[in-house]
Amino acid sequence: MLADQLVDKFRSVDTTALCDADKSIRVMDSGIRARSAEVRVAGPAFTVRCRGDFFGVLRAIESAAPGEVIVVDGGGSEIAFAGEMFARGAVVRRLGGIIVDGGYRDIGYVRGCGLPIYSRFVTPMAGTTSQLGALQVPVSCGGVSVAPGDLILADEEGMIVVEPDRIEALLDAAAAVKEAEAGVVAKLNAGSTLSDAINVDAHTEALRSGAHSTLRFLS
C-alpha cells in the first residue's frame, strides 16, 4: 500500500502540481472519465489485461490487496468489464479504485459509490466469462504503459502514473509548486498583476533574443 504519509502529501497537492514538477509524468488520456462520487485515487496498480471477457477483472478484484487499484486494459472496447457487483466486491476488499480502458455499467449505483471508478465508456453490454485474462502484467491503459505496482494518482484533473521510487521526491516538488502558486494568488488578491508575480517581460525578451529562459514565479 502507498504509505499513509505519502497519501497525506498527495491530499495537500494535486495532479496539476505533479505535472508541473515533472513534464515526463505519464498522463492517461481524458477519454477515461470518473463515473463515481469519489474521484481521488492514490494506490499501487494491480493490472489485468482482457479482451471481450471480464472474468479476469473478477479474478483481479479477488486477488488484489487492500489499497491496490485495479487497472484494466480492455483494449478500449465498448463492452462492460465491470459493474455494480464488482464495485461492491472491491469495497468489501478495501481496494483503492477501478480504472477500465473499456466500458463500465450499472452507473445508477456507481455514480453514488465511494469507491473511485473510471472508465472510457458506459454501456449495458457485458463481455463473456470464458477467459482467464492476464493478471499483474505490464498493460496499456489510457494511452500509457502501466506496470504492476506503479502508483496511480487521480483527482478532478485526471490520472497520472508514477514509478514508486520517484513518488516522494515528486510530492515534495509538487508541494513547492503549490507554495509558489499560493504566493502568486496572494499578490493577485492584493491587486498586483500577473506580470508583478511572474517574469513575463524578462522571459519575453530572452525568447526574442534566442537566450535560454524559464517562465518562473517572482519572489
Side-chain angles (χ1 to χ4, degrees), residues 5-116:
Q5 66 268 26
L6 295 182
V7 173
D8 288 340
K9 282 186 177 182
F10 179 52
R11 289 194 185 103
S12 69
V13 296
D14 50 34
T15 56
T16 60
L18 285 160
C19 288
D20 286 347
D22 184 352
K23 296 296 186 183
S24 70
I25 284 178
R26 287 167 281 168
V27 180
M28 292 189 188
D29 73 58
S30 59
I32 299 182
R33 302 178 182 178
R35 308 297 179 181
S36 52
E38 178 58 58
V39 300
R40 187 161 279 243
V41 176
F46 189 103
T47 62
V48 52
R49 183 192 301 120
C50 43
R51 294 292 184 270
D53 189 290
F54 66 84
F55 185 54
V57 182
L58 174 56
R59 293 177 60 224
I61 289 170
E62 290 300 288
S63 301
E68 290 189 312
V69 180
I70 305 299
V71 177
V72 182
D73 175 355
S77 60
E78 198 166 349
I79 64 164
F81 290 92
E84 177 180 351
M85 296 302 109
F86 284 15
R88 290 183 181 274
V91 169
V92 170
R93 294 187 61 83
R94 296 184 292 119
L95 301 187
I98 301 175
I99 299 171
V100 182
D101 199 338
Y104 212 100
R105 68 180 190 175
D106 302 326
I107 298 303
Y109 167 79
V110 169
R111 69 166 55 99
C113 184
L115 178 78

Side-chain angles (χ1 to χ4, degrees), residues 26-217:
R26 287 167 281 168
V27 180
M28 292 189 188
D29 73 58
S30 59
I32 299 182
R33 302 178 182 178
R35 308 297 179 181
S36 52
E38 178 58 58
V39 300
R40 187 161 279 243
V41 176
F46 189 103
T47 62
V48 52
R49 183 192 301 120
C50 43
R51 294 292 184 270
D53 189 290
F54 66 84
F55 185 54
V57 182
L58 174 56
R59 293 177 60 224
I61 289 170
E62 290 300 288
S63 301
E68 290 189 312
V69 180
I70 305 299
V71 177
V72 182
D73 175 355
S77 60
E78 198 166 349
I79 64 164
F81 290 92
E84 177 180 351
M85 296 302 109
F86 284 15
R88 290 183 181 274
V91 169
V92 170
R93 294 187 61 83
R94 296 184 292 119
L95 301 187
I98 301 175
I99 299 171
V100 182
D101 199 338
Y104 212 100
R105 68 180 190 175
D106 302 326
I107 298 303
Y109 167 79
V110 169
R111 69 166 55 99
C113 184
L115 178 78
I117 293 174
Y118 286 75
S119 72
R120 186 175 293 279
F121 304 108
V122 173
T123 177
M125 180 58 71
T128 59
T129 57
S130 58
Q131 301 174 27
L132 289 173
L135 306 188
Q136 291 294 68
V137 297
V139 299
S140 176
C141 186
V144 299
S145 61
V146 183
D150 277 350
L151 297 178
I152 309 297
L153 301 173
D155 56 21
E156 295 87 348
E157 306 291 341
M159 291 175 289
I160 64 175
V161 184
V162 179
E163 298 92 335
D165 60 356
R166 299 181 60 218
I167 187 61
E168 190 161 10
L170 278 171
L171 287 170
D172 288 342
V177 169
K178 295 298 287 186
E179 183 178 358
E181 288 177 345
V184 173
V185 170
K187 289 183 178 181
L188 294 173
N189 286 343
S192 296
T193 68
L194 285 171
S195 292
D196 294 324
I198 302 172
N199 66 330
V200 177
D201 293 337
H203 188 54
T204 299
E205 289 306 311
L207 293 177
R208 281 176 176 164
S209 66
H212 174 74
S213 179
T214 301
L215 191 67
R216 58 182 176 80
F217 300 132

